[in-house]
Amino acid sequence: MKILTANRLTDGEAVWFSTDGNWAETIDVAATVYDKAGEARLEAIGKAAYDNNEVVDVNLIDVSVVDGAIHPLRLREVIRAAGPTNRLDLGKQARPAAGAA
Amino acid sequence: MYRYDEFDHDFVKARVAEFSDQVERRLAGEITEDQFRPLRLMNGVYLQLHAYMLRIAVPYGTMNSKQMRMLSHIARKYDKGYGHFTTRQNIQFNWPALSDIPAILADLASVEMHAIQTSGNCIRNVTADHFAGAAADEAADPRPYAEILRQWSSVHPEFSYLPRKFKIAVTGAERDRAAIQTHDIGLHLKKNETGELGFAVYIGGGQGRTPMVAKKIRDFLPEEHLLSYTTAILRVYNLYGRRDNKYKARIKILVHETGVDEIVRQVEAEWQALKDGELKLPEADVAAIQSYFAPPALKPRPEGDEVIKLARLDSRSFGEWLDQNVFTHCNPDYAAVTISLKGIGEVPGDATDSQMEAVADIAEQYGFDEIRVSHEQNLILPHVARADLKAVYDALVAIELATANSNLISDIIACPGLDYCALANARSIPVAQEISRRFASLERQRDIGELKLKISGCINACGHHHVGHIGILGVEKKGAELYQVTLGGSADEHTSVGEIIGRGFGPEEITDAIETIVETYLQIRLDRSEKFLDAYRRVGPAPFKEALYASEAKAA
Ligand code: HEM
Ligand code: SF4
């Protein structure tokens, strides 16, 4: 299973291509694909967004879904999705949890 | 301290304007990422995992309070309230928005700072002994020569597109505190028998995936030939350095593949044509630049001994700090102070905006307005009256920067690693933090004595692991972090590359492994005066291997 990720051009924020067709700032709403056709579709979206100067460093990454939550397989992507592991007050992990407000 | 001349002012201003325009056009979509990447890198802007990163040059690690306050301002206004001081005597900000970078660079330019040549295949920030101009053991201040190299190498038309990055380091003391033998060119400023100044010249040192100790190619190069000889080396490198493979593109590979004798022949031949030309340094110019680095007027402060004696009686922790973090100055009434950015469990090299601000205040009040960044990721106050040391110590305690661990096991160099860096294979910072906590007891650290532990999150070796007495390299194995340990490296005047001790350790094992190594050392050392490195060099890896792996070998 894969999702599409990049960094936003203007501020470098890590973003994921979401189920509603936008670049989201958190991984939980990323659109997942399960086959070559899905991957090709995301790749095309990534390339278009790159060409359109919305994002940089576009990558398809491997994930699994556990209890409905998306988990990247590589630690690198876990850290991109959360923030530095030594500074829990920084990055996405520092934001109030969705729905918790 | 060096002051910018008109040329520098105009040049930096023009560059800020140019890059601001490039950023604007990039944000407007008028230039592509492929076009923009080399431009941003030329101006110190990288992309890391979470955001952009801006690397700002601190030439030869020297700055004043005004500049430090500006770094504090940038941390507060544009970043997340902290900055990371690096082994290249630079500072990195981890979170700036691309759209803010023109404003940051304009702010920096207002205090004569910039990010030019902090990236790319050019001659990078020239680094120097952080005690330069203060150390009792130095032949002369190496910074005027670092400055001459800086001026000469800034936007040098011939050397802006080298096969690969090029790093030069200069020291003025026999005791090498600038790790010159790990640089593309290392210069050791010294005096000959007749008292003239010149350089021992080393080339071809480097870390990364192929660590190499530099080779000495000249024992004494008279100072006037600094630029002609450096140019000759760079010409040979520029011509013959490999451009086909970026992993083989550094001068160390050229020196290794060509052989030192042949390289020396080529350099000397090139130099013959240059040495009496326009690159020969006029005495007047050297003197003019030296005058910028004239030491501050240090008034006699003979009361220091008495003040210190009393303060020591009063505070044991002050005494410990004095023993560990205070360095002998060339003026007996003064001292150089290491401000440890390695508080127990803290991130090596990080300082908050308010700490930076406070250090600026302390430097202004007690330190003749001078601050240094050391390649060991600490800050230095090079000139403090011994009589003021207690006041400085108290001020540092107030901002939690008074940890008395300079050169001890918790004075760790660590690169950003996988918590920030896009190239990383494993984390470095949490490993450093855990080791620091494990050895939190200062008494224990002092018993262990001098021990340089250095950690990199990948083979690029930004954290100098190859030359750590104990080096830790993070690798990725089957998707998990694994830490490889090297022993016996060193970055001083007897530079050596550490040897891999055996199989790597998982994140939950590495601190135990380090403790085993340290305990083994404590058992085998002849006495307290035999340092870790000396003991390792005497006995070799066997007892450490035995301690780390013997039980496995038996089980197998
Ligand atoms: C975005 C962050 C960084 C990137 C992308 C990066 C990239 C690299 C690369 C690719 C190399 C290997 C060069 C070679 O072998 O030819 C290298 C070496 C090095 N870097 Fe970094 N680095 C980063 C951060 C740092 C930091 C934070 C420091 C200081 C703490 C640093 C200091 C060094 C040093 C000292 C070396 C080894 C010396 C040498 O042989 O060039 N770098 N870096
Ligand atoms: S050593 Fe590797 S992980 Fe560490 S900063 Fe350098 S490139 Fe990044």
Side-chain angles (χ1 to χ4, degrees):
Chain A
M1 190 187 315
K2 289 189 196 290
I3 61 176
L4 183 66
T5 185
N7 290 76
R8 195 157 59 204
L9 170 67
T10 51
D11 56 3
E13 182 85 32
V15 288
W16 293 264
F17 188 74
S18 75
T19 43
D20 66 6
N22 294 313
W23 290 94
E25 291 191 9
T26 52
I27 195 171
D28 49 336
V29 291
T32 45
V33 295
Y34 304 85
D35 54 19
K36 289 279 170 234
E39 286 173 24
R41 191 164 45 78
L42 283 188
E43 252 165 12
I45 290 169
K47 179 165 185 330
Y50 179 86
D51 290 344
N52 201 28
N53 301 308
E54 295 165 39
V55 293
V56 292
D57 205 11
V58 184
N59 284 302
L60 270 185
I61 58 161
D62 292 310
V63 295
S64 63
V65 172
V66 183
D67 295 336
I70 296 175
H71 289 278
L73 299 193
R74 287 187 69 196
L75 179 59
R76 177 188 203 273
E77 294 302 326
V78 173
I79 291 174
R80 276 184 79 241
T85 61
N86 64 302
R87 286 290 301 265
L88 302 183
D89 59 326
L90 297 177
K92 324 278 188 188
Q93 62 202 353
R95 301 176 181 194
Chain B
M1 176 175 311
Y2 179 73
R3 280 155 295 181
Y4 269 27
D5 61 16
E6 307 260 289
F7 170 79
D8 288 310
H9 271 297
D10 294 348
F11 170 68
V12 171
K13 242 169 84 184
R15 177 61 87 82
V16 172
E18 180 187 56
F19 186 57
S20 301
D21 179 59
Q22 288 160 347
V23 170
E24 217 165 279
R25 286 190 289 147
R26 175 73 187 114
L27 292 172
E30 288 165 22
I31 40 181
T32 65
E33 183 63 10
D34 286 344
Q35 291 165 332
F36 183 65
R37 190 183 301 111
L39 301 175
R40 71 165 159 76
L41 288 174
M42 258 182 237
N43 291 283
V45 181
Y46 285 75
L47 183 66
Q48 301 204 92
L49 294 181
H50 314 291
Y52 291 99
M53 179 271 275
L54 177 64
R55 181 183 290 165
I56 298 164
V58 182
Y60 29 89
T62 296
M63 66 178 145
N64 59 29
S65 317
K66 199 162 106 190
Q67 292 171 323
M68 183 62 109
R69 281 200 190 94
M70 182 55 79
L71 296 178
S72 159
H73 165 79
I74 289 167
R76 192 177 305 134
K77 177 160 178 192
Y78 304 103
D79 211 84
K80 296 194 187 278
Y82 69 105
H84 180 70
F85 289 99
T86 80
T87 52
R88 302 262 322 126
Q89 297 182 312
N90 291 328
I91 182 168
Q92 298 186 171
F93 287 108
N94 287 314
W95 305 89
L98 182 59
S99 48
D100 281 338
I101 284 177
I104 299 175
L105 293 180
D107 282 355
L108 285 171
S110 74
V111 294
E112 305 186 338
M113 294 182 92
H114 59 74
I116 299 164
Q117 284 182 219
T118 60
S119 174
N121 295 334
C122 54
I123 301 170
R124 303 286 189 89
N125 187 30
V126 177
T127 51
D129 180 359
H130 43 269
F131 292 131
D137 64 351
E138 98 186 345
D141 187 343
R143 291 172 306 155
Y145 304 93
E147 170 57 22
I148 289 167
L149 288 164
R150 185 194 72 79
Q151 293 187 7
W152 160 83
S153 65
S154 292
V155 288
H156 193 299
E158 188 181 340
F159 302 138
S160 289
Y161 295 93
L162 294 166
R164 197 81 178 91
K165 56 171 100 166
F166 203 90
K167 300 175 178 177
I168 305 177
V170 200
T171 177
E174 289 294 328
R175 176 90 225 214
D176 177 11
R177 291 174 289 262
I180 66 167
Q181 294 178 40
T182 68
H183 286 74
D184 297 280
I185 295 180
L187 297 168
H188 171 199
L189 177 64
K190 59 184 190 179
K191 287 193 173 133
N192 66 8
E193 315 77 53
T194 54
E196 292 156 334
L197 281 173
F199 301 92
V201 180
Y202 295 78
I203 65 168
Q207 303 191 52
R209 68 185 56 226
T210 325
M212 297 217 179
V213 178
K215 316 285 181 297
K216 196 201 285 193
I217 62 166
R218 267 221 164 222
D219 194 52
F220 191 83
L221 177 78
E223 58 161 353
E224 65 197 26
H225 295 306
L226 174 63
L227 292 186
S228 57
Y229 202 77
T230 308
T231 300
I233 296 169
L234 272 140
R235 283 227 168 127
V236 169
Y237 170 55
N238 205 17
L239 192 60
Y240 299 116
R242 288 180 62 171
R243 291 174 189 267
D244 60 317
N245 179 344
K246 104 174 173 181
Y247 300 123
K248 301 204 179 252
R250 298 287 291 265
I251 193 175
K252 62 189 173 189
I253 305 292
L254 180 68
V255 172
H256 183 72
E257 289 185 348
T258 315
V260 188
D261 295 344
E262 176 58 15
I263 287 284
V264 170
R265 198 193 57 74
Q266 292 169 357
V267 169
E268 294 284 330
E270 190 67 43
W271 185 54
Q272 286 310 317
L274 291 169
K275 71 195 262 276
D276 298 311
E278 58 178 17
L279 286 170
K280 193 162 168 178
L281 288 176
E283 242 172 77
D285 288 13
V286 176
I289 289 180
Q290 270 163 346
S291 72
Y292 285 134
F293 293 91
L298 303 174
K299 279 190 301 198
R301 295 286 302 277
E303 73 276 25
D305 283 346
E306 195 55 32
V307 177
I308 285 176
K309 205 163 92 192
L310 291 176
R312 249 191 207 280
L313 291 175
D314 202 42
S315 159
R316 186 170 150 198
S317 46
F318 171 64
E320 287 167 344
W321 179 81
L322 211 56
D323 293 339
Q324 211 60 49
N325 289 29
V326 171
F327 185 79
T328 313
H329 198 279
C330 50
N331 181 321
D333 290 350
Y334 287 78
V337 165
T338 297
I339 301 176
S340 170
L341 298 181
K342 319 287 177 67
I344 298 304
E346 301 289 343
V347 181
D350 276 12
T352 66
D353 57 344
S354 47
Q355 286 173 329
M356 290 186 231
E357 186 93 47
V359 167
D361 292 344
I362 297 170
E364 204 167 48
Q365 193 174 354
Y366 301 107
F368 299 85
D369 210 27
E370 254 198 65
I371 303 159
R372 305 283 173 77
V373 183
S374 78
H375 87 269
E376 294 178 323
Q377 298 181 288
N378 292 313
L379 296 175
I380 308 290
L381 301 173
H383 317 288
V384 177
R386 287 167 53 77
D388 292 333
L389 284 172
K390 182 61 169 44
V392 167
Y393 172 77
D394 290 341
L396 290 173
V397 168
I399 51 170
E400 297 180 14
L401 291 183
T403 310
N405 62 350
S406 176
N407 293 321
L408 299 179
I409 189 170
S410 63
D411 187 4
I412 298 169
I413 292 183
C415 78
L418 193 54
D419 285 299
Y420 294 95
C421 178
L423 303 178
N425 290 325
R427 288 171 294 168
S428 316
I429 294 170
V431 175
Q433 290 176 303
E434 196 178 303
I435 294 170
S436 170
R437 285 192 202 103
R438 178 72 62 91
F439 290 93
S441 154
L442 196 58
E443 203 181 325
R444 184 173 180 204
Q445 288 191 52
R446 285 156 63 99
D447 179 39
I448 297 163
E450 181 181 281
L451 211 172
K452 300 198 183 232
L453 199 150
K454 311 188 189 213
I455 311 175
S456 307
C458 80
I459 194 60
N460 285 325
C462 304
H464 286 203
H465 68 276
H466 293 300
V467 290
H469 300 170
I470 299 178
I472 301 179
L473 164 65
V475 298
E476 184 176 345
K477 196 166 178 196
K478 296 187 190 129
E481 293 165 298
L482 191 76
Y483 296 92
Q484 220 169 54
V485 175
T486 51
L487 298 181
S490 161
D492 59 12
E493 59 282 10
H494 306 292
T495 293
S496 55
V497 171
E499 302 164 308
I500 296 174
I501 189 76
R503 71 150 179 92
F505 300 92
E508 62 297 321
E509 300 169 322
I510 181 68
T511 306
D512 289 340
I514 298 304
E515 195 163 27
T516 302
I517 290 166
V518 169
E519 290 300 324
T520 306
Y521 152 68
L522 292 176
Q523 280 160 28
I524 62 169
R525 71 179 173 189
L526 299 174
D527 58 50
R528 276 184 70 126
S529 72
E530 190 183 44
K531 296 175 183 167
F532 178 89
L533 184 63
D534 298 331
Y536 180 81
R537 283 180 175 164
R538 177 172 56 81
V539 302
F544 297 94
K545 277 197 169 127
E546 167 82 17
L548 287 167
Y549 305 115
S551 54
E552 273 168 42
K554 279 180 202 124

